[in-house]
Amino acid sequence: MRRLTLIGVVINLALTFMEFVAGIVGNSQAVVADAVHSLSDTVTGVAVLVGVRFWSRPPDECHPHGHRRIEFLVTIFIGLILAAVALGIGYNALATLHDPQRKPPGAVAFFAAVVMIFTKEFLYQWTISVGKEIRSPALIASAWHHRSDALSSIPAAAAVAGAAIVPGLSFLDHLGAIVISAFILQVAWKIIRPSLEQLVDLGAPEEIRRGIEQLASATPGVEEVHAIRTRHIGSGIEVDLHVLVDPRLTVEEGHEISEEVKRRLIEYVSDVVDVVVHLEPYGDEKEGRGRV
């Protein structure tokens, strides 16, 4: 993660400098705005580099569940940076929409936007692949930031081309910047929302919960399963469930069943990293033996 993020930061700095200079030389507000957006990507890359040092630490006495939720905070920070950049770009474009331009955007601005599109798409494909492999929300968010850079450069390139071909349509450059800001806001919300849900202990999806119930119920010695609760810890899922077993079993036998339930869930259910099993005696309600 550190190596990939560092490579992304270095490449992004070079691209940002190139596009910023090209936007100024080429007289394109949309390309300059896109360069500012790309600069925010460097900030998020640094955030991941710093944050990974904290959320990758093992559990300790004060943090028995580990530090993985710091990754959610870093992810939200990335989304907020994106949103702030989008609002700034949109405001500047609207404020200068009716300002006359001395000359239409130049070809250098167009080519800079095209280079940004292809390079950032490459970084997206690389980063999203690694992010999914190691199940890192922050790295996936960083990948989407690369994708947002690539996609936001498309309207920038189109606006520059349109304004250059037809000088009377120079306002297209401003509209391109507004489109870019709206797109970035949408991406920012997609990044922030999942982390907010996980920070407030949103449970795992229903299909995962059903899989947990079916697998636990199929464990030898388990009579019934209920009170299943799940929550996210970093990129993993913690499961808490109640397992009913024959009340005549010894403590050791009951413990072996609970350990088998735990082993099965961690081994066969995607993303499950920890399981807490509560043993309860299974009783026949018809005979008046209720559940404890």
Side-chain angles (χ1 to χ4, degrees), residues 249-259 279:
L249 296 177
T250 64
V251 172
E252 182 179 359
E253 291 171 331
H255 175 71
E256 289 176 354
I257 293 174
S258 69
E259 287 297 300
L279 284 179

Side-chain angles (χ1 to χ4, degrees), residues 64-84:
H65 293 285
H67 304 78
R68 297 294 298 180
R69 288 198 173 186
I70 295 177
E71 187 170 7
F72 295 146
L73 297 177
V74 173
T75 303
I76 292 173
F77 173 74
I78 292 173
L80 291 177
I81 289 291
L82 270 176

Side-chain angles (χ1 to χ4, degrees), residues 8 55 59 76 84 107 141-142 146 150 155 163 168 189 233-234 262 268 276 287 289:
W55 76 62
I76 292 173
S142 183
H146 289 315
W189 175 241
I233 300 180
K262 180 177 180 178
Y268 296 112
V276 177
E287 297 179 3
R289 293 187 297 172

Side-chain angles (χ1 to χ4, degrees), residues 29-30 32-34 36-37 81-99 152 171 173-186:
Q29 185 181 102
V32 171
D34 198 38
V36 174
H37 174 213
I81 289 291
L82 270 176
V85 170
L87 292 174
I89 291 174
Y91 174 80
N92 185 66
L94 287 172
T96 59
L97 183 61
H98 299 292
D99 292 352
S152 67
F171 66 90
D173 191 49
H174 299 266
L175 290 180
I178 294 173
V179 171
I180 290 171
S181 68
F183 175 78
I184 297 172
L185 274 177
Q186 182 185 21

Side-chain angles (χ1 to χ4, degrees), residues 13-182:
L13 280 174
L15 289 173
T16 299
F17 178 77
M18 174 205 68
E19 193 173 33
F20 187 78
V21 172
I24 294 177
V25 173
N27 194 39
S28 172
Q29 185 181 102
V31 172
V32 171
D34 198 38
V36 174
H37 174 213
S38 299
L39 182 61
S40 71
D41 201 6
T42 303
V43 176
T44 62
V46 173
V48 172
L49 283 173
V50 174
V52 71
R53 295 177 177 273
F54 295 94
W55 76 62
S56 61
R57 292 176 178 174
D60 54 38
E61 185 176 348
C62 296
H63 305 85
H65 293 285
H67 304 78
R68 297 294 298 180
R69 288 198 173 186
I70 295 177
E71 187 170 7
F72 295 146
L73 297 177
V74 173
T75 303
I76 292 173
F77 173 74
I78 292 173
L80 291 177
I81 289 291
L82 270 176
V85 170
L87 292 174
I89 291 174
Y91 174 80
N92 185 66
L94 287 172
T96 59
L97 183 61
H98 299 292
D99 292 352
Q101 287 186 311
R102 295 179 181 178
K103 59 180 180 179
V108 65
F110 173 77
F111 287 115
V114 171
V115 170
M116 178 67 77
I117 291 171
F118 286 100
T119 306
K120 297 299 286 188
E121 178 63 20
F122 167 75
L123 283 175
Y124 163 78
Q125 295 293 343
W126 186 14
T127 308
I128 197 72
S129 174
V130 176
K132 289 181 178 179
E133 181 180 350
I134 65 176
R135 299 196 299 272
S136 169
L139 203 56
I140 292 174
S142 183
W144 275 104
H145 203 158
H146 289 315
R147 168 60 68 83
S148 72
D149 279 349
L151 294 181
S152 67
S153 295
I154 294 176
V160 170
I165 294 172
V166 184
L169 299 179
S170 59
F171 66 90
L172 287 177
D173 191 49
H174 299 266
L175 290 180
I178 294 173
V179 171
I180 290 171
S181 68

